[in-house]
Amino acid sequence: MDFASLLGIISGLALIISAIIIGGNADVFVNIPGLMIVAGGTIAATLLTVQFKDVLNAFKAAWIVFTRDKTNPQEMIDTMLELSRISHRHGLLKLGDIETNSHVLRRATNLLAEAASEQVIRNTLQNEIDSLIARHFTVQDVFKKMAMYAPAFGMLGTLIGLIQMLSVLSEPESIGPAMAIALLTTFYGSLLATVVFLPIAGKLRARTLVEVTNLEIIREGCISILTNDHYAHVYEQLSSYLPEDSRKPLRMGKSSEGADTANTKKASK
C-alpha cells in the first residue's frame, strides 16, 4: 500500500470538506446535474480521445500504484550483486535456476544462462525499457487528458447554469441560488483535476521513473556479470544510479546460496 498517496488524497479531501462545512451549509455544494455534466462529460470526451482498453488499463495501473509498494532501486542493486556472487561461485548456468517475480529479471537471467552476447542482452533489455515507457506514457496521458477535460466541462456547466439564470431574471429572488448552482460545476471540474487526475498522473510518472531505473540496473548488472566484472566493480557501476547519501556500503562477506536465491525474490514486477 502506498501510504503517501492514500494520505495525500484523504488529507486533501478532508481539508476541502472541512472548509466547506465550517464555512456554512454544505448542502449547497451538492448538485447532481452539475456532477453529471462534469463527470459524464469528462469520461465521454476521454473515451472519444483514447481507446476504451487504454482507459481501463489506466485505472488498473492507478489501482496498482496505490496498492502495491514499489521496489527500491537499492533492493534491485542488492539483487544484482547477489546474482554476481552466484555467477562467480557457480557459473552463469546457475542463474537459470533463480526464482524471481520480475519477468524482466527472469528473462535477463535466462539470457545469461544461455551465454547470450552482450549486444543481444543490451538490445533485449533496452526494448523492455522502451516498451515500459511507451505503455506508461499512454496511461499517464489518459489522466492528463481527464485533468484537461474536467475544468472545461465545469465551465460548460457554468455557462448552462448562467443561461438558465438569465432566463428567469424577472424573478430576482432566484438569481442568487441559480448563480451558486452555475458556479458549482466549475468547482467540480477544478476539484477533480487538481485533487484526483493530476496527482494520479504525477504519481504514475514518478513510479515510471523508478521502474525505468530498476530496469536499467538489471541491464547494466547483467552486462557486468556477463563480462565477469569483479563484485566491487559491479557495485560501483550500479550504485551510480542512486544519490550518494542513499548508497549502502559494499559488504564483501560471503553469504549462503540459499540467501542469495531468496534475495532475488525482492525484484519488482
Side-chain angles (χ1 to χ4, degrees), residues 42-71:
T42 299
I43 294 174
T46 303
L47 291 175
L48 285 171
T49 306
V50 299
Q51 299 182 35
F52 181 72
K53 65 177 183 179
D54 291 334
V55 177
L56 289 180
N57 290 335
F59 282 97
K60 289 179 181 178
W63 174 256
I64 291 174
V65 164
F66 284 100
T67 57
R68 184 182 301 167
D69 292 331
K70 64 179 180 292
T71 299

Side-chain angles (χ1 to χ4, degrees), residues 101-122:
N101 292 325
S102 170
H103 77 278
V104 177
L105 184 57
R106 162 56 61 187
R107 191 175 184 184
T109 54
N110 286 339
L111 288 173
L112 288 173
E114 295 167 0
S117 67
E118 176 181 341
Q119 193 62 39
V120 169
I121 293 177
R122 186 179 296 276

Side-chain angles (χ1 to χ4, degrees), residues 1 36 43-44 68 70 92 95 100 127 136 144 146 154 157 159 162 165-166 177 179 188 205 207 223 229-230 232:
M1 173 65 71
M36 292 171 60
I43 294 174
R68 184 182 301 167
K70 64 179 180 292
L92 291 176
L95 297 180
T100 175
N127 289 339
H136 286 209
K144 289 179 180 179
M146 296 181 76
L159 293 176
L162 290 175
M165 182 192 71
L166 292 174
M179 175 64 78
Y188 292 151
R205 182 178 182 276
R207 182 61 66 89
I223 293 173
D229 285 348
H230 189 271

Side-chain angles (χ1 to χ4, degrees), residues 218-250:
I218 292 176
R219 181 191 63 196
E220 298 305 320
C222 287
I223 293 173
S224 296
I225 292 173
L226 180 68
T227 54
N228 202 31
D229 285 348
H230 189 271
Y231 179 81
H233 296 166
V234 177
Y235 166 80
E236 292 296 338
Q237 183 173 0
L238 298 185
S239 63
S240 62
Y241 284 94
L242 298 177
E244 187 172 357
D245 57 354
S246 300
R247 300 173 187 174
K248 290 172 58 177
L250 177 63

Side-chain angles (χ1 to χ4, degrees), residues 165-240:
M165 182 192 71
L166 292 174
S167 66
V168 293
L169 282 179
S170 58
E171 303 174 8
E173 69 279 1
S174 65
I175 294 179
M179 175 64 78
I181 293 175
L183 293 176
L184 270 180
T185 54
T186 299
F187 169 74
Y188 292 151
S190 299
L191 180 67
L192 287 174
T194 57
V195 179
V196 180
F197 299 140
L198 284 177
I200 290 178
K203 178 65 70 173
L204 290 171
R205 182 178 182 276
R207 182 61 66 89
T208 297
L209 295 177
V210 173
E211 292 191 21
V212 168
T213 299
N214 286 334
L215 294 187
E216 289 177 345
I217 290 172
I218 292 176
R219 181 191 63 196
E220 298 305 320
C222 287
I223 293 173
S224 296
I225 292 173
L226 180 68
T227 54
N228 202 31
D229 285 348
H230 189 271
Y231 179 81
H233 296 166
V234 177
Y235 166 80
E236 292 296 338
Q237 183 173 0
L238 298 185
S239 63
S240 62

